[in-house]
Amino acid sequence: MIRLSIDKKRVDKARGYARDIAISFQELIEKNSSVTIERTVARLMGVDGALPTGEPLPNLLVEHLRVRDVLSRGVAYWLTNGMLVEGTSAKAIAEKVAAGELDLTSLPAQPTDKILEELEKVSSLTLKKIRDQRCIREDAYIKYGPRNQPAIYVIVATGNIYEDVVQAQAAVRQGADIIAVIRSTAQSLLDYVPFGATTTGFGGTYATQENFRIMRQALDEVGEEVEKYISLTNYASGLCMPEIAAMGALERLDIMLNDAMYGILFRDINMKRTFLDQYFSRMINAYAGIEIQTGEDNYLTTSDAIESAYTVTASQLINEQFALMSGLRPEKMGLGHAFEIDPEIENSVLYEIAHAFLTKTLFPDSPVKYMPPTRFASGNIFKTYLMNGMFNMVAQITGQGVQLLGMMTEAIHTPHLADRGLAIENAQYIFKAVKSFPDEFILQENGFINQRANRVLDEASEFLSHVKEIGLMQALSEGAFAEIKRSEHTGRGLEGVFFKDTEYVNPFMDKMKSELFGSNVEYIM
C-alpha cells in the first residue's frame, strides 16, 4: 500500500501553530457581529422576499436598525419584540418596516422572558426544517449507497437556472456525481442576495434560494432515474457567506465553497468581516451536514506551484482549525489543492503525486477537493486532454475525495455538453484502469516523493510559526499568501462590522453551538 513516511510529531507541530493562529481570533468573533450575520438571523426567522425594486427584505430590516444605532442588540431582539407587539409573523413585520409603516424602535419593550420564549419557538421550528433536510440526504445515501471516490464533479454556468437544469441533468446521465452551479460574475461583491429564480447571470447563475430549490428538485429527479444521490454545490463566499449558507441549509445543498481567507485575498473583502462571517456560515453548514470546500487551489494561479506549495499546506491547516472552531467534522472538510505544476518541468507528475499524497496524509478523513490543470491549459486541446488524464491518475493513486474535472476546451470557450462528456469518459477510464494501483506499490523511504512531501511540510511548519508570531492579519498585509497584500483597515464590508451589546442575542448561533459541541468544550467560543 502506498503511504508517505511522515513523522507525526512534525505534523502535530505544524497543526499546533495553525490552531494557535485560529484561536487568536476568539476575541474578534465573541465581541462582534456583522450586517450579513444579522440578515441571516432574520432569514432564519422567516424573513424572505424583496421589494419590486429588488431590495431584499432582510437588508431593509437590518438597515432600519443600523441607521437608528440599535443593531448592536441583534436583529432577533427587535424583530421578536415587534412580533409580540403587533401579533404577527417576522416576514409581516419586515414588510411593514420596508413599506415605512413601522418603526421597530418606537414599540414598547416586551419583557425579556417573553422575547426569549418566542425566540425559542421560532428558532426550534427553523432548526427542525434544517435537520429534516439533513435526514433526507442521509436516507438517500442509505438507499443508493455512498458517493463514489473520487467523486466526479462538474460545473454548469449558463447564467439561466432553467438552462443549468438541462445541462446538469445531462451531466448526471453521463456519469457526474456532483453538480456545481457557478455563480454570476462578481456576485461575491454584492452585499445582498438576489431574490427569486434568475435567468440573466453573466458567466454563471445567481445564487438565490429559489434557484437552489429548482436545482435541488432537478437533481433529485435525475438521481432517482440513475439510482444515485447527486450532490449539489454552490458558494457560501463573498459578502453574504452566512446568508447563502442558511439558504443552502434550508434547500438541502450538499457542498459549499466556504474558505476562511479566499474573500480577503481574491475579492478584497475586509479581513475582520470575513473572519466573522466564515465562523457563522461554517457553523450553519456543520449543523446542516453540508460539506465545505476550501480554495487553496487559487493560490497556485498567482504563485508557482512548486515554490509556493507550502502556502497551500499552511492554508489547509489554518482552514481546518477555523472549521473545527465552527463545529465542522473532518469528514465534512473538503480541503482544496490543485494540479498546477508546469508540465514542462521534469518529473512534474512526481511533484504532483507528492503534494497530493501530503494533503491526503495530513487530512485522511477529508473528502479532499482536487482541482484540474488550468494555468497551463492551452488551445492545444489534445495536450490539455492528456494533462487531465494525468490529473485523474494522480487522484486515483493518492485517494482524493472530489475530482473537479478538467475540460479540454476550457482555455478556448465555455465547455459544451460534448466536452463535458469527454471529460467524464476520461475520468471514468482512468479511475477504473488504475483502481488497485496503490495496493501494489510502496514508496522508497528516501525517494523523491517522500523527500518532497516532507520538505513541503517542514516549509509549511516554519511558515506557520512565523505567521503565529506576527499574527495572521499582519501576515496577510505582508502578502504571505498568494503574494497578495491586504490591510485589516481596508477592504469591502468593513462598515458592516459592529460591536455586540451585552444583551445581544442570536438564538440560532447559541443553539447550533450547543448541539454541535455538546460537552466537548475545546473549541467552543
Side-chain angles (χ1 to χ4, degrees), residues 236 241 256-260 278 281-282 285 292-294 319:
M241 294 170 89
M256 283 287 189
L257 279 293
N258 193 220
D259 192 281
Q278 64 85 31
S281 65
R282 287 175 165 200
N285 287 331
I292 67 162
Q293 292 183 336
T294 60
N319 255 311

Side-chain angles (χ1 to χ4, degrees), residues 1-3 357 393 396-399 431-443:
M1 182 73 179
I2 298 181
R3 292 185 190 281
F357 253 138
M393 185 184 72
Q396 180 65 47
I397 290 174
T398 58
F431 292 166
K432 189 175 180 181
V434 298
K435 186 175 181 61
S436 299
F437 190 97
D439 300 328
E440 297 294 328
F441 294 86
I442 57 173
L443 297 174

Side-chain angles (χ1 to χ4, degrees), residues 2-8 11 15 316 320 353-366 368 398-400 443 449-450 453 457:
I2 298 181
R3 292 185 190 281
L4 283 180
S5 298
I6 297 278
D7 184 352
K8 184 176 180 302
V11 175
R15 186 164 269 131
Q316 290 169 336
E320 176 193 41
I353 290 174
H355 296 176
F357 253 138
L358 178 60
T359 294
K360 192 59 189 171
T361 302
L362 293 177
F363 312 101
D365 298 322
S366 164
V368 174
T398 58
Q400 305 299 299
L443 297 174
I449 292 173
N450 262 315
L457 175 61

Side-chain angles (χ1 to χ4, degrees), residues 235-272:
Y235 296 69
S237 59
L239 284 165
C240 299
M241 294 170 89
E243 287 183 271
I244 295 177
M247 294 174 181
L250 290 167
E251 302 300 335
R252 192 166 32 91
L253 267 72
D254 307 287
I255 299 172
M256 283 287 189
L257 279 293
N258 193 220
D259 192 281
M261 298 191 290
Y262 176 86
I264 301 168
L265 294 168
F266 298 100
R267 294 292 179 266
D268 194 17
I269 296 173
N270 176 262
M271 56 182 80
K272 289 180 182 174

Side-chain angles (χ1 to χ4, degrees), residues 490-504:
T490 62
R492 298 178 175 89
L494 176 60
E495 69 283 358
V497 175
F498 62 90
F499 283 111
K500 294 183 207 171
D501 188 276
T502 53
E503 295 182 290
Y504 173 87

